[in-house]
Every structure is written in C-alpha cells, then in structure tokens.
Amino acid sequence: MTEISELSFEAALDELEKIVQQLESGKAPLQESIAIYERGEALKRHCETLLKQAEARIEKITLARDGTPTGTEPLDEQ
C-alpha cells in the first residue's frame, strides 16, 4: 500500500472514494472496516493539506486603470 504522503491529491481522493464505497456496502468485516476507516481519515487530512497548500500559492493579478498588469497579491487578503 502506498504511503499517503506520497499520493497526489487526485490519487488520494480516488482512494478515499473507494473506501467510502467499501464502508457503505457494509460487506467488510468489523476489523477491516475500522482499518480502512482510519486510512480514509488519513487520506482526508492529506487532501485537506494539499488543498490548503494550493490555495496559498494562488495569487490574484492586479491591474492598473488602463488594464496593464501591475503585479500580484494574495487571492484572499485577510
């Protein structure tokens, strides 16, 4: 099984969706359900971290009155 920290966002999300389907089917034994639930939680945290990192890199382009780019600023200024 691949280490979660090595997974791309898309791969982690795909695996998380498969885990949800397994759990919803109710066919996995209790111990296996607990193990895959715990992996699902770790995958969820990994996806959230990757999304936060992506958000931090997104910038908004600033424009002068005449429409020429003047620079960038954070997308969500706080």
Side-chain angles (χ1 to χ4, degrees):
M1 199 172 295
T2 305
E3 283 292 320
I4 291 173
S5 62
E6 296 175 10
L7 293 173
S8 68
F9 175 81
E10 292 80 6
L13 187 59
D14 184 55
E15 186 176 338
L16 182 56
E17 288 172 351
K18 288 176 184 171
I19 285 173
V20 169
Q21 289 172 354
Q22 277 184 288
L23 291 173
E24 286 179 344
S25 76
K27 294 180 181 177
L30 179 60
Q31 286 301 325
E32 184 180 339
S33 292
I34 292 169
I36 61 177
Y37 177 84
E38 289 172 345
R39 182 158 174 92
E41 279 294 313
L43 286 163
K44 178 181 160 278
R45 283 191 305 274
H46 181 63
C47 286
E48 288 171 345
T49 299
L50 293 175
L51 282 175
K52 286 178 186 176
Q53 290 171 354
E55 274 181 0
R57 292 193 324 247
I58 296 174
E59 295 181 330
K60 177 172 56 175
I61 297 172
T62 57
L63 304 173
R65 288 191 183 274
D66 66 357
T68 58
T70 58
T72 61
E73 63 185 35
L75 183 61
D76 293 325
E77 290 188 283
Q78 294 184 7

